[in-house]
Amino acid sequence: MEQRSTGPQDTLLVTSGPVGALVLIGECVRRGMPTGLDARSAGELPEFPEGAIEARWGGDPAGAEYSLPFADVVQLARYALA
């Protein structure tokens, strides 16, 4: 897990597996739905060689941009609980 703040925007990067998805859902409970949600491919970020999920908070929530459907994150997190 990695957190960054850039001005008014906060970014959370988690592993792209079930545990990372579960951590992201926990953050969503705490902060609310992210204003951006993207998948990062394996090898794209050196800190996450197997890929990552990137969530951003800040800006207008009505203009949220999700290249990764949140329902997919929920389905992935279910594996961490099984």
Side-chain angles (χ1 to χ4, degrees):
M1 182 174 105
E2 179 181 309
Q3 291 186 349
R4 297 184 224 157
S5 290
T6 317
Q9 190 172 54
D10 290 328
T11 302
L12 175 69
L13 288 156
V14 295
T15 59
S16 59
V19 174
L22 190 59
V23 168
L24 176 56
I25 289 174
E27 267 314 285
C28 291
V29 168
R30 191 174 76 82
R31 296 180 182 208
M33 291 298 288
T35 53
L37 188 62
D38 297 302
R40 299 291 175 212
S41 299
E44 187 176 339
L45 301 169
E47 309 87 25
F48 296 90
E50 295 178 3
I53 302 170
E54 178 180 325
R56 294 176 303 284
W57 287 267
D60 182 12
E65 296 179 16
Y66 291 8
S67 66
L68 173 67
F70 194 76
D72 290 356
V73 174
V74 172
Q75 290 296 324
L76 185 59
R78 286 181 163 181
Y79 288 104
L81 299 173

